[in-house]
Amino acid sequence: MLKTKGNQFYLHDEPFQILSGSIHYFRVVPEYWEDRLLKLKQLGLNTVETYIPWNVHEPSKGEFNFEGLADLESFIKKAEELQLYVILRPAPYICAEWEFGGFPGWLLKEQGMALRSSDPAFFEHLRAYFNILLPKIVPHLTSNGGPVIAVQVENEYGAYGNDFAYLEASAELFKQYGIDVLLFTSDGPEFMEHGSMKDAVTTLNFGSRSEEAFASLDMYRPDSPKMCAEFWIGWFDHWGGKHHTREAAEVAEEYEKMVALGASVNFYMFHGGTNFGYMNGANHYEFYTPTITSYDYDALLTEWGDPTEKYVAIKRVLSKYKDVPYANPLPSEKKRYGAVEMKTEMSVFDFLKQKTAKTLIAPKSMEELNQNYGYILYKTTITKQGELDMDITPIRDRAFIYINGKLERTIYRNDAEKTIKLPFNEKENILEIFIENMGRVNYGKHLKDRKGIIDNLWIGNQYWFHWEVYQIDPDAEAVSFIEGKDDRFPRFYKGEFTIEDAADTFVDLEGWTKGNVWVNGFNLGRYWVTEGPQKRLYLPGPLLKKGKNELLLIELEGTGSHSITLTNEPNIG
């Protein structure tokens, strides 16, 4: 078992330097887990680290998922087969630029709950989740002959709160369920005092100035092992921003300082992977900034798993201090399958004719309506005439406002205007508000990020009651196409293509604007071509099959194109 003696880690009673890299199993298709883990081992690392996202494993209250992308135990076993150790971070909060920091959206249904605290309303949900999750981890601990050497308690808690009773109670839960390996916390150097615990090793997260960071640790916890649990070697991207990169030489220089010192280091990220589906998170400081679909992170492996210049530079560093495998991995095969004609199309408004609306006195948030992700349409009748003011602050995140079938405004929660004027020209006016949930905030004080319409709307100096609501999530229901006459966006598009051999490819969305892409029913993620930086979505080969394949899109804002190209070149900006 991993233990500490003074400022040194020991494994099986021998000094041990943790040389680790982050791979999030839920961001990589399972067919590629072995490939990515092998490349980690080929670099010369001895450990893989992963978060465990609550929202993936308990998507609805009391309904658990540990299959496919969520098959945590298979990922651990694969690492063990390759003779790698494993560090697990069940948190329950993971940040990770992941939807709601890993929390399930249904937690927000309870308005008064204090997240990440000893509030019984929150903690009983956590206890029920851990009651299912933790027994799955126990057989894989080193104390039981498995590869898991350490487990994290919470995550960067010092940057969120000061409920030490919550941290202690969380650690006690781990122990109650038989987690008897080394426990640790991780925080930025400036936050470690409020995120640390007396019975857990304090580790640090940073991207540079390692000497200063470890000096802070020495002052706070003298004679403690030095570990950077997240060595940030790149960064994530948000829609409308630039693609972040960091020089390989700079990363290698900082890494060597730590390795030469004998410190333990975990690369964040070794391999970033993809925010499939609706699982991108968002940050909210001055503005709301949702993360893009790619989680390439300018890591040691690209989003599609190829070694980078950083990979080679880090291997050169490691070779000075330990024996490393000689060969470097080769880039994978990518194929260009050409144009796919999106021949079948239908307005979302025609699709909704097949559905029954929920009737509400006043609008409710998606969470209150038991909807975690996707899209939602709110509809009411305004029996007033004239140009009326509407307060749009309760609308999250991006909305298309129709009056009597005509698109009047597109609004976004970052808009400077908080009240807009809308023309209601008839005695009775049909108001329709189609809303996209673009990803919940994953960090900081805006973590409680409800979606849809989160409070009643103030229109023409009064609240408007009596609404119809339609919920739209192609992950949760099949999209059946019908003939319709509505020419409005959003619209669904469907196309088919036939292939002989499946390989990685990229979905080029040139000519389209904004929406989501499904391949054979799998939600690849969001695109927003006009904002960028990402212009193409990575499509892993295992999602394709020999013969006929299907592409489905929801295009929200408009397109001049009716085809999509599957190409062999990425474009993440």
Side-chain angles (χ1 to χ4, degrees), residues 4-15:
T4 64
K5 293 180 187 176
N7 62 3
Q8 178 69 57
F9 287 115
Y10 280 77
L11 185 63
H12 309 311
D13 296 321
E14 296 289 333

Side-chain angles (χ1 to χ4, degrees), residues 149-174:
I149 57 174
V151 173
Q152 184 185 27
V153 182
E154 245 285 352
N155 179 53
E156 296 185 330
Y157 190 71
Y160 183 80
N162 67 340
D163 189 346
F164 294 108
Y166 161 61
L167 289 181
E168 296 293 342
S170 298
E172 193 56 38
L173 272 184
F174 286 129

Side-chain angles (χ1 to χ4, degrees), residues 414-430:
N414 288 335
D415 292 346
E417 286 181 279
K418 300 308 174 189
T419 300
I420 61 173
K421 291 187 180 296
L422 293 171
F424 295 94
N425 297 324
E426 309 298 328
K427 288 184 178 178
E428 289 193 351
N429 302 272
I430 304 300

Side-chain angles (χ1 to χ4, degrees), residues 64-226:
F64 296 92
N65 174 30
F66 290 91
E67 297 178 352
L69 277 168
D71 192 349
L72 169 64
E73 289 189 89
S74 288
F75 181 78
I76 295 171
K77 288 173 185 174
K78 187 61 65 178
E80 184 176 24
E81 287 171 17
L82 299 173
Q83 298 181 308
L84 290 167
Y85 293 109
V86 177
I87 294 173
L88 296 179
R89 303 172 78 183
Y93 163 80
I94 68 171
C95 185
E97 292 71 58
W98 190 251
E99 223 280 332
F100 196 12
F103 285 133
W106 50 261
L107 281 176
L108 294 175
K109 189 174 180 179
E110 299 180 36
Q111 296 278 349
M113 181 190 298
L115 298 171
R116 304 180 73 186
S117 80
S118 51
D119 176 3
F122 170 72
F123 205 78
E124 287 311 306
H125 287 304
L126 175 59
R127 187 190 305 276
Y129 166 55
F130 274 4
N131 185 49
I132 300 298
L133 173 69
L134 298 185
K136 293 180 181 295
I137 293 172
V138 169
H140 305 289
L141 303 176
T142 47
S143 55
N144 294 317
V148 177
I149 57 174
V151 173
Q152 184 185 27
V153 182
E154 245 285 352
N155 179 53
E156 296 185 330
Y157 190 71
Y160 183 80
N162 67 340
D163 189 346
F164 294 108
Y166 161 61
L167 289 181
E168 296 293 342
S170 298
E172 193 56 38
L173 272 184
F174 286 129
K175 294 169 187 173
Q176 285 174 15
Y177 285 103
I179 306 294
D180 57 3
V181 296
L182 182 137
L183 297 180
F184 70 98
T185 60
S186 63
D187 288 274
E190 68 274 38
F191 296 117
M192 63 181 159
E193 186 174 349
H194 279 129
S196 295
M197 304 169 52
K198 67 177 187 299
D199 293 328
V201 172
T202 296
T203 70
L204 300 179
N205 299 342
F206 55 80
S208 59
R209 302 203 299 271
S210 56
E211 301 102 323
E212 294 177 34
F214 287 139
S216 298
L217 178 63
D218 281 337
M219 289 183 65
Y220 176 65
R221 282 208 160 166
D223 207 27
S224 178
K226 293 178 173 60

Side-chain angles (χ1 to χ4, degrees), residues 527-543:
Y527 64 91
W528 197 356
V529 179
T530 50
E531 285 291 303
Q534 183 173 10
K535 306 286 188 180
R536 297 172 182 172
L537 298 185
Y538 168 53
L539 199 176
L543 298 177

Side-chain angles (χ1 to χ4, degrees), residues 240-253:
K242 294 180 179 179
H243 174 54
H244 289 85
T245 59
R246 186 178 177 190
E247 289 294 327
E250 180 188 324
V251 170
E253 181 183 0

